[in-house]
Amino acid sequence: MTQAPATPKNSRRRHDREIIALAVPAFGALVAEPLFVMVDSAVVGHLGTPQLAGLGIAAALLMTAVSVFVFLAYATTAAVARRVGAGDLPAAIRQGMDGVWLALLLGAAVVALALPSTPWLVDIFGASDTAAPYAITYLRISVLGIPAMLVVLAATGVLRGLQDTRTPLYVAIGGFTANALLSVTLVYGAGLGIAGSAWGTVIAQVGMAVAYLVVVIRGARRHGASLRPDAAGIRASARAGVPLLVRTLSLRAVLMIATAIAARLGDSDIAAHQIILSLWSLTAFALDAIAIAGQAIIGRYLGANDEKGARDACRRMVEWGIGSGIALGILIVLARPLFIPLFTSDPTVKDTLLPALLVVAVSQPIAGVVFVLDGVLMGAGDGRYLAWAMLVTLAVFAPVAFLVPALGGGLTALWWAMTLMMTVRLATLWLRTRSGRWIVTGATR
């Protein structure tokens, strides 16, 4: 029986199946992450306002740590996927273990630095006298879970590189469920208060890290890969991660500048800004899921020396990014009467929110392509370019954003500046992908 010849339609269907198979579970795992904080907030919120305020400060610091070290997942995904494409699974898992060892080293360093400086970190956030003790208590305990949290990031990257996003979804669901049960039990059943919530999160994170390590170690033994730390491999993982760290810090700086400027505009503006940021983060999860699929798929094609496959996959994912962005933009416009009342009943905040929200809706197709191309270049291991591109974006955005209050602009003007930021990112990423310089084939870049 002869095999059907490859056609553009068959190629698109193959890419669609791959994207869906990787992106849908990845989206579920991404959504599960912020649910940890939501559960803790719901449980601690019934203890009192000072406890909830303390949790908010500590959670902000911990979420910053997650965003800073997310390069452990990104860099590991790309490196492992290349070796999978090259057909060398032992080397792929060995590369993944280097990322896990790096995560453990970084986690130990963070604990050593953060434990003695916890009161200082809380004070920087301007915690009130009533909230500060609770923030310090929660943070001191939660810091102990950071090594496990970083191992989860690195091991997630290993499995994504192995084209497996289902296992991270199952682990995330299990971790979320354990965290919810432990928080309620320790806070109320054991009477530990906010400390119980922190211990519940730490135990859940350790459990997730153990689950990941069991999966990775089994794979290593099955394929004869060494589990011992390798200094050269750990250094290589760190070098690959540094540019992505620069990129992430630059992006965080953009978000911090936007929030600081919104705060200058007035209480209604900062309230509306926080609502929009929450929605923006939710849409980012959907788009980031496609980007994660891009990291794994592009890395595999390049590792297999399949330049045409990488280009075709990139093209199809861009189409997915545009389509997803348009769909999300329409959804924001249509659903605004439903979700705005969930966040606020203040008519001033609603009036401030609505025009800025429409700007966000219009910009979603741009965001869709940006997320996808970001994932493509990460999958290609093109971290150095991503770092420079994000620094350029920050340099363009910052002065424009600071002009918003100076020129009497409001929240809508600020979100037009955010749209400009995404447009600059689109331009830099599009130029890179068009140039073809990101296409470097082989098991290593």
Side-chain angles (χ1 to χ4, degrees):
M1 185 176 180
T2 59
Q3 188 175 2
T7 65
K9 187 175 181 179
N10 289 338
S11 178
R12 285 195 301 272
R13 286 177 176 172
R14 185 180 74 252
H15 291 311
D16 288 346
R17 285 194 297 269
E18 285 186 327
I19 293 167
I20 292 171
L22 292 170
V24 172
F27 175 71
L30 288 170
V31 170
E33 292 174 10
L35 291 179
F36 271 73
V37 177
M38 290 180 64
V39 167
D40 286 350
S41 298
V43 173
V44 172
H46 292 285
L47 295 175
T49 300
Q51 290 90 333
L52 185 58
L55 171 65
I57 293 166
L61 288 164
L62 292 168
M63 292 302 290
T64 299
V66 172
S67 65
V68 166
F69 291 108
V70 75
F71 71 85
L72 288 166
Y74 293 159
T76 305
T77 298
V80 171
R82 275 185 175 270
R83 285 162 176 78
V84 169
D88 192 347
L89 283 177
I93 297 174
R94 171 67 265 174
Q95 179 69 45
M97 283 305 304
D98 291 336
V100 171
W101 282 112
L102 176 62
L104 285 170
L105 291 173
L106 290 173
V110 171
V111 171
L113 292 171
L115 273 179
S117 59
T118 296
W120 175 75
L121 290 169
V122 170
D123 186 58
I124 285 178
F125 269 67
S128 66
D129 292 339
T130 54
Y134 297 109
I136 292 171
T137 296
Y138 189 93
L139 191 58
R140 275 184 172 155
I141 297 170
S142 295
V143 160
L144 300 176
I146 285 181
M149 182 177 68
L150 300 191
V151 167
V152 167
L153 287 174
T156 299
V158 176
L159 295 179
R160 287 174 181 171
L162 293 170
Q163 317 295 296
D164 176 10
T165 56
R166 289 183 179 272
T167 300
L169 172 61
Y170 300 147
V171 174
I173 293 172
F176 166 72
T177 304
N179 180 54
L181 295 174
L182 286 166
S183 290
V184 172
T185 302
L186 295 176
V187 170
Y188 298 112
L192 296 180
I194 195 171
S197 178
W199 280 118
T201 300
V202 169
I203 294 169
Q205 288 170 338
V206 171
M208 292 172 68
V210 170
Y212 274 119
L213 289 176
V214 167
V215 174
V216 173
I217 290 171
R218 282 179 179 173
R221 288 176 175 170
R222 185 163 58 249
H223 295 287
S226 173
L227 297 171
R228 294 179 180 178
D230 177 67
I234 293 172
R235 285 196 298 271
S237 294
R239 282 195 299 271
V242 168
L244 294 179
L245 175 61
V246 172
R247 166 207 168 270
T248 300
L249 290 175
S250 301
L251 183 55
R252 292 295 301 179
V254 165
L255 298 176
M256 289 174 66
I257 289 171
T259 300
I261 290 171
R264 286 188 187 182
L265 298 174
D267 290 347
S268 297
D269 294 87
I270 186 61
H273 178 73
Q274 288 303 116
I275 294 170
I276 292 175
L277 268 184
S278 299
L279 181 65
W280 199 64
S281 298
L282 183 61
T283 61
F285 287 137
L287 298 174
D288 202 27
I290 303 173
I292 287 169
Q295 294 171 31
I297 293 169
I298 293 297
R300 192 190 74 231
Y301 274 119
L302 293 177
N305 296 310
D306 188 351
E307 180 178 332
K308 182 180 183 302
R311 287 185 182 276
D312 290 346
C314 175
R315 188 178 303 110
R316 187 56 179 162
M317 279 183 283
V318 167
E319 293 170 358
W320 267 77
I322 294 171
S324 299
I326 291 172
L328 287 171
I330 293 172
L331 184 61
I332 289 171
V333 172
L334 295 179
R336 71 189 189 281
L338 299 176
F339 65 77
I340 290 178
L342 296 176
F343 289 96
T344 182
S345 58
D346 187 327
T348 305
V349 175
K350 287 182 178 180
D351 290 342
T352 305
L353 172 66
L354 187 56
L357 193 62
L358 294 177
V359 174
V360 174
V362 169
S363 68
Q364 285 304 296
I366 298 173
V369 179
V370 167
F371 273 82
V372 165
L373 294 182
D374 211 37
V376 166
L377 296 184
M378 282 185 191
D382 203 7
R384 189 182 296 265
Y385 181 83
L386 288 172
W388 282 111
M390 199 60 228
L391 286 171
V392 168
T393 301
L394 175 60
V396 172
F397 169 76
V400 173
F402 282 115
L403 281 174
V404 169
L407 297 177
L411 188 66
T412 302
L414 177 60
W415 275 94
W416 277 121
M418 289 287 285
T419 302
L420 171 65
M421 179 271 295
M422 294 300 288
T423 304
V424 173
R425 288 187 71 190
L426 174 62
T428 56
L429 298 174
W430 184 262
L431 287 172
R432 186 64 167 182
T433 52
R434 290 283 293 177
S435 73
R437 293 179 182 177
W438 57 282
I439 299 179
V440 178
T441 57
T444 57
R445 183 176 173 86

